[in-house]
Amino acid sequence: MTIEIGQELPTGTLTESNEFDAENGCPTNPQALDVSEMVSGKKIVIFGVPGAYTPLCSAQHLPGYVELAEQIKAKGVDEIWCMAVNDAFVMASWGRENNATDKVRMMADGSAIYSKALGLDRDLTGGGMGIRCFRFAMIVDNGVVSYIGVEGSGEFGASKAETILENL
């Protein structure tokens, strides 16, 4: 069952890597983070993408949040998270390449466990991608969902940064 407005986020863990090896530039030191602790007392925007480095995600979805991060945060948002079913190393590199540092936190759900807990997992095995998450965005206030927009295949409207800005 997909999470809905008024529901509390499920407990779970996401992983983040935001350190890079000085010698080879590779991400290092991924940290497992408790979602419930991270959202407590904060307003968070979480947007999910089917995969790092995928065309729409790289051309529009993540860049839109990077570009509008200051405006979104000016509306009382403490943090913006990008979540994908990729590992923390991929998410860190993708974030760095898109200038997301200090704007958008790149959260990995490597085995789709949290996506499944949210009811936002989808099977893209037929296309060679395995289990991923739907493209989505939500506003979470102190752990409770106050807005959620989930996209169908090929859609991009309910989860883009401009839509979130309008709903804050």
Side-chain angles (χ1 to χ4, degrees):
M1 187 155 154
T2 303
I3 191 156
E4 298 176 357
I5 292 172
Q7 291 182 325
E8 213 171 300
L9 287 181
T11 59
T13 303
L14 294 172
T15 308
E16 181 181 40
S17 176
N18 52 24
E19 298 175 26
F20 294 86
D21 184 275
E23 191 171 310
N24 62 25
C26 291
T28 62
N29 198 25
Q31 300 292 310
L33 305 169
D34 182 291
V35 173
S36 297
E37 288 178 15
M38 299 277 296
V39 300
S40 180
K42 295 181 182 174
K43 184 178 267 189
I44 310 284
V45 168
I46 304 171
F47 69 99
V49 298
Y53 294 104
T54 57
L56 180 59
C57 305
S58 292
Q60 295 180 51
H61 210 175
L62 176 57
Y65 280 94
V66 170
E67 181 181 320
L68 295 177
E70 287 183 28
Q71 291 177 51
I72 291 169
K73 290 178 180 179
K75 295 252 186 175
V77 171
D78 296 293
E79 295 178 353
I80 303 167
W81 299 358
C82 176
M83 184 184 104
V85 181
N86 289 108
D87 63 64
F89 304 107
V90 167
M91 292 298 287
S93 292
W94 189 46
R96 178 179 57 190
E97 289 181 19
N98 281 276
N99 300 310
T101 304
D102 298 324
K103 296 175 183 172
V104 176
R105 295 183 75 170
M106 305 302 289
M107 306 300 240
D109 181 24
S111 298
I113 294 169
Y114 201 70
S115 294
K116 289 175 184 176
L118 291 168
L120 292 170
D121 57 304
R122 63 187 298 194
D123 188 348
L124 296 177
T125 303
M129 292 179 69
I131 304 300
R132 298 296 176 128
C133 71
F134 276 93
R135 181 179 315 285
F136 73 89
M138 65 174 80
I139 300 169
V140 179
D141 202 345
N142 195 29
V144 177
V145 177
S146 62
Y147 169 86
I148 185 162
V150 181
E151 311 278 14
S153 293
E155 294 177 354
F156 184 55
S159 68
K160 62 188 196 177
E162 293 85 353
T163 303
I164 288 297
L165 199 51
E166 291 170 8
N167 281 280
L168 285 167

